Amino acid sequence: PAADLHSPMVLLNDLPKKNWLNVQLIGAPGHRAAANSIIRLSDPQTGKLLGDEQISIWGNQSAHSYYYAANTERHFGLASSDAVDVRVEFYPTGKKVEQKRVKANQTIVVNE
């Protein structure tokens, strides 16, 4: 029978645990959202690229109050990797920041 959507349910996530990393960028003054900057994660032993993402800011920011700040935190699934190298290229300055052997399952902040 179909589940009653109004009754409490207990769900079990029995998927194997995988590693992850959150990367939050903070750009230079006047460009704190770090829009168009690129985050690259690679394997520390082989140098193989594991993932990359460009920070995109969607929508018209002028429609928001001055309290509004775009979320620059990005989530990366690492599967079984327990550490990665993180490289960030900030836009428009081209400044590159690199952190070696960053441990999985945490949030890191990268400042321009």
Side-chain angles (χ1 to χ4, degrees):
D4 180 4
L5 297 179
H6 301 288
S7 298
M9 290 188 280
V10 175
L11 304 174
L12 173 64
N13 181 356
D14 58 357
L15 295 172
K17 184 177 184 270
K18 301 288 184 175
N19 293 326
W20 55 273
L21 182 71
N22 285 348
V23 179
Q24 181 179 11
L25 302 185
I26 300 179
H31 193 247
R32 288 290 187 205
N36 295 322
S37 299
I38 300 172
I39 304 168
R40 290 186 178 93
L41 303 183
S42 58
D43 184 287
Q45 296 172 343
T46 65
K48 179 182 175 185
L49 183 67
L50 299 175
D52 65 337
E53 188 166 340
Q54 185 170 11
I55 303 298
S56 298
I57 308 298
W58 295 95
N60 183 356
Q61 287 186 340
S62 64
H64 302 285
S65 76
Y66 67 93
Y67 288 112
Y68 176 77
N71 182 9
T72 62
E73 187 172 301
R74 296 297 184 259
H75 178 86
F76 294 91
L78 302 180
S80 60
S81 298
D82 57 357
V84 293
D85 290 343
V86 178
R87 291 184 196 95
V88 177
E89 183 175 345
F90 284 93
Y91 177 87
T93 63
K95 180 179 179 182
K96 296 177 183 168
V97 177
E98 188 169 354
Q99 294 184 16
K100 298 278 194 178
R101 297 197 168 279
V102 176
K103 293 187 185 215
N105 306 321
Q106 65 172 326
T107 298
I108 64 167
V109 177
V110 180
N111 292 289
E112 184 172 10

